[in-house]
Amino acid sequence: MSIAVKSQKHLFQIPENEHYLNCASMAPLLKSVEEAGLKGINKRRYPGHFVASNYFDEVNLLKKHFASLIHAAHPEEIAIIPSASYGMANAIQNVCPKKGGHALILQGEFPSGRLALERWCEDHAQELKEIGPGSADSLDGKALNQRVLEAIKPESSILVMSCVHWMNGIRFDMKAISARCQETKTLLIVDGTQGVGVSPMDVQEYKIDALICAGYKWLMGPYSVAMAYYGPHFHHGRPIEESWRNRTNAQAFSDLTDYGRIYIPMAGRYEVGEASNFISIPMQSEGIRQVMEWSPAAISSYCRNLMQPLYAVLKKNGQEVDPTHQSAHIQGIYPPEGMSPAKFSEKLAEKNIRTSVRGAYIRVSTHLFNEEQDIQALIDCMS
Ligand SMILES: Cc1ncc(COP(=O)(O)O)c(C=O)c1O
């Protein structure tokens, strides 16, 4: 059971009169994350006392935090990477195609996974099958979940999907989907960028093969830090680059020209070169530490409560929200009749209401820095 949290707006620096309903684009920086960054800059000012362990300790702490957040069995199953696209490329290129098989992806999936999968399909002569909601702008999460389950077949080599749809907040039943993947021996690669940190995630319980998350949204990180979980399937794979710091002799700086051939265990081989960014890694660590202190379940519950008045308005407009298949923190809403999503977003921005346009919807997203008046401002503008 999660403990209820109250507004945490005081921990951020959000300008007066701004209604920031756009964490799905980028989180505002926590004051504590900013402080961690400044500390990193100070530390970096003079490197005279740096020792080898300085290059690894902060990274290891971040891996520990992320492993704990997603319930990975070992921090060694986590790799620190610069972006979701980097993590997707590492995972996807290590998937073996089934003979005469195909790859599956959600229609409208974020390009970071989609583009890597397109390349893999070309390289391995596998068909890329899209799982669509019927019409590109459907918000029927139940139907879409069902379509995903029906699409997974014994011939499916790989399924790449988000646990929460990045455009509209549709939530996927990862437990049911992964069970079907297990049954059909389909490798499951999940983009957790829009779900992890704000809804519970358990890679062991859900049996996810790889989970990739950019850190600058729901994990409260800076930018250019992402984290990947690579499960047992990937522990002996081939990384997209060959960084010296991912070898077992990496901490022996004087002997680096021994050119160590052994990778550090599990996911360590996939880590980006220069992963030990002295400024952004402690920032990301602090972001995840704070998220864990709040707890994803409590954040989700706060967002669900905040959204209730909006749900009531949507229902009046004929858009019923089904909480089983709709995340609490992201909601796609249609613009008023006769108005384009871009025009509606412009109108909202005139009232300092920050949202984003994604396909046919306005994407509204909330976090603990949002309060009732933010949702009320949106409702006032809608009417
Ligand atoms: C679902 C999803 N994945 C990944 C990203 C970011 O990808 P990358 O880190 O490759 O820029 C976003 C950004 O909006 C996203 O919504």
Side-chain angles (χ1 to χ4, degrees):
M1 202 182 68
S2 64
I3 297 166
V5 275
K6 295 199 270 264
S7 164
Q8 302 290 304
K9 194 172 179 178
H10 58 285
L11 300 181
F12 296 82
Q13 304 191 63
I14 298 176
E16 280 284 309
N17 303 322
E18 280 285 311
H19 303 290
Y20 193 72
L21 296 171
N22 208 10
C23 195
S25 272
M26 182 178 280
L29 278 189
L30 275 157
K31 291 177 193 169
S32 63
V33 168
E34 219 173 295
E35 275 163 27
L38 290 173
K39 247 193 195 166
I41 290 175
N42 277 342
K43 200 163 155 188
R44 174 67 188 80
R45 190 180 288 152
Y46 176 63
H49 306 294
F50 272 31
V51 290
S53 62
N54 290 126
Y55 291 77
F56 299 91
D57 292 350
E58 293 283 0
V59 170
N60 288 340
L61 179 66
L62 175 54
K63 290 197 222 188
K64 222 169 122 187
H65 283 334
F66 187 68
S68 161
L69 179 70
I70 63 165
H71 299 97
H74 311 278
E76 289 84 358
E77 289 183 300
I78 310 302
I80 305 304
I81 50 173
S83 64
S85 30
Y86 188 98
M88 280 289 174
N90 258 326
I92 291 171
Q93 75 157 18
N94 280 292
V95 176
C96 294
K98 286 180 184 167
K99 205 160 170 241
H102 60 251
L104 295 170
I105 193 152
L106 284 177
Q107 196 177 79
E109 184 54 85
F110 195 80
S112 298
R114 165 79 188 222
L115 298 175
L117 194 58
E118 280 182 10
R119 162 71 65 84
W120 181 87
C121 285
E122 279 163 26
D123 289 350
H124 297 283
Q126 298 264 299
E127 189 189 346
L128 179 59
K129 292 192 177 184
E130 278 192 348
I131 308 168
S135 78
D137 61 352
S138 169
L139 283 171
D140 187 342
K142 189 173 177 193
L144 184 52
N145 266 277
Q146 191 54 36
R147 277 168 199 257
V148 173
L149 290 173
E150 285 164 8
I152 307 166
K153 300 268 173 19
E155 304 77 43
S156 310
S157 301
I158 174 174
L159 166 61
V160 175
M161 65 178 295
S162 290
C163 54
V164 169
H165 202 299
W166 71 290
M167 291 174 129
N168 52 34
I170 286 177
R171 175 161 92 174
F172 294 97
D173 180 349
M174 294 318 302
K175 220 168 158 178
I177 291 169
S178 80
R180 180 70 188 136
C181 283
Q182 296 271 307
E183 229 172 74
T184 56
K185 297 193 165 39
T186 303
L187 221 78
L188 176 58
I189 300 181
V190 175
D191 184 336
T193 302
Q194 296 287 6
V196 173
V198 71
S199 51
M201 168 56 73
D202 188 324
V203 286
Q204 293 186 80
E205 188 191 346
Y206 301 171
K207 297 192 169 54
I208 287 171
D209 293 299
L211 173 75
I212 324 290
C213 299
Y216 62 94
K217 302 171 190 281
W218 308 100
L219 298 176
M220 302 285 140
Y223 194 70
S224 310
V225 183
M227 282 115 319
Y229 158 81
Y230 295 114
H233 175 87
F234 297 98
H235 291 178
H236 303 284
R238 187 174 179 159
I240 55 178
E241 64 171 290
E242 298 296 343
S243 171
W244 60 268
R245 67 182 299 293
N246 300 342
R247 306 300 173 103
T248 48
N249 71 329
Q251 296 215 27
F253 282 7
S254 55
D255 300 327
L256 287 182
T257 49
D258 287 351
Y259 306 118
R261 302 211 50 88
I262 305 167
Y263 291 116
I264 52 176
M266 300 185 186
R269 67 189 58 210
Y270 299 110
E271 212 135 87
V272 69
E274 293 193 23
S276 359
N277 185 311
F278 306 101
I279 299 156
S280 56
I281 296 296
M283 293 174 81
Q284 184 62 78
S285 256
E286 169 55 22
I288 296 182
R289 187 209 61 76
Q290 178 61 84
V291 162
M292 285 195 294
E293 189 183 305
W294 289 323
S295 104
I299 301 169
S300 178
S301 156
Y302 179 90
C303 294
R304 184 72 78 199
N305 281 338
L306 209 58
M307 287 286 203
Q308 291 306 325
L310 179 64
Y311 293 161
V313 173
L314 293 178
K315 190 172 175 185
K316 254 199 230 154
N317 296 347
Q319 187 183 332
E320 186 109 29
V321 174
D322 159 16
T324 313
H325 301 101
Q326 181 67 44
S327 66
H329 57 289
I330 301 180
Q331 180 66 48
I333 60 175
Y334 294 110
E337 208 147 307
M339 195 183 278
S340 70
K343 188 76 201 163
F344 185 37
S345 171
E346 229 176 79
K347 290 267 166 220
L348 294 174
E350 283 169 17
K351 304 274 182 200
N352 302 332
I353 302 167
R354 311 298 167 192
T355 57
S356 34
V357 179
R358 292 293 179 268
Y361 332 96
I362 299 295
R363 184 181 63 185
V364 173
S365 50
T366 56
H367 205 280
L368 298 177
F369 49 78
N370 291 119
E371 296 178 340
E372 277 166 33
Q373 61 268 23
D374 298 322
I375 294 296
Q376 195 52 51
L378 172 68
I379 291 172
D380 291 347
C381 211
M382 285 166 80
S383 56

